[in-house]
Amino acid sequence: MAWCTPPLLPKAWTDQVADDGLIVAPLPIADVPNMTVVAKVRIRGGEPVTEAVFTGGYVEATASPKGDLDPPGRWVDWENRVPGPSWISLAWRAQDDRLHTGARTTLDRLLNAAHTEPYEGGDVDVDWPSWRTFAAALGTPQLTMAGLRPGLWAIGHSTTETAAVIQQDGVILADSPDSPSLPSCGTGSRPGRALAARP
């Protein structure tokens, strides 16, 4: 048994598992926190065959003890502790400068969102595991995850000039009503519509 989340299924694991053996492991699908799927992989003839992929994850280990389990243990690009705790993670962190100007600015845009709207799913709640997996599957390099309030995560799209996210409670936040990031959050014209239309 191994307990870790490698970036890809290690070849050593498949080499060491007997034929018809089973590997169940969380694998990351995006470079932001808690973006994993659990893969059920059967070894057949020495080769891995994926039997199932489902939402799920693991508790992240950290180098030192954490007093607050709400912020993720890795891939946090900027964090505020006052007036209240908030954080942001950018899949485009490699394009940010060494002062994390993009992360700081994007977090500020979302904390002071000029535009909010409700999720347009009617009386259907946001299926958060499905939505985050769908958002990651789109493969946008502008993927953004944030915790704007404790216990309430958000996922969406941002650039150095614009930002939009949908929170777990179904509130959509953006830097403006015509934010270029609103349609980029999914395939629809708004994140809520994209969420309703996701596969």
Side-chain angles (χ1 to χ4, degrees):
M1 176 177 280
W3 188 251
C4 68
T5 300
L8 299 169
L9 188 66
K11 184 175 183 326
W13 287 11
T14 62
D15 291 346
Q16 295 171 15
V17 173
D19 202 46
D20 205 38
L22 186 64
I23 298 171
V24 178
L27 299 172
I29 55 174
D31 291 337
V32 294
N34 294 344
M35 281 293 204
T36 58
V37 294
V38 176
K40 180 181 174 185
V41 179
R42 180 85 52 194
I43 305 303
R44 295 218 169 91
E47 294 296 320
V49 177
T50 304
E51 289 188 350
V53 176
F54 43 96
T55 59
Y58 63 102
V59 176
E60 291 181 343
T62 57
S64 59
K66 287 178 57 177
D68 181 1
L69 296 178
D70 190 52
R74 62 181 178 158
W75 284 333
V76 172
D77 297 300
W78 193 259
E79 179 180 6
N80 292 328
R81 298 199 176 144
V82 290
S86 59
W87 58 269
I88 194 159
S89 176
L90 308 171
W92 50 274
R93 70 183 52 83
Q95 285 75 51
D96 204 356
D97 62 29
R98 64 181 182 81
L99 299 175
H100 305 280
T101 304
R104 286 185 291 116
T105 303
T106 302
L107 181 57
D108 186 60
R109 277 191 186 106
L110 293 171
L111 288 170
N112 299 293
H115 175 73
T116 62
E117 65 181 75
Y119 161 57
E120 296 175 355
D123 53 359
V124 178
D125 291 334
V126 174
D127 178 354
W128 186 251
S130 178
W131 169 241
R132 71 177 177 80
T133 303
F134 170 68
L138 294 175
T140 175
Q142 305 308 126
L143 188 65
T144 301
M145 184 172 274
L148 305 177
R149 295 194 327 251
L152 191 62
W153 287 25
I155 189 166
H157 177 277
S158 69
T159 69
T160 57
E161 303 295 323
T162 180
V165 293
I166 182 170
Q167 293 187 132
Q168 285 175 290
D169 64 357
V171 174
I172 297 166
L173 304 165
D175 56 324
S176 70
D178 57 350
S179 173
S181 285
L182 276 169
S184 299
C185 285
T187 57
S189 61
R190 290 282 193 263
R193 293 188 192 106
L195 176 56
R198 77 184 185 283

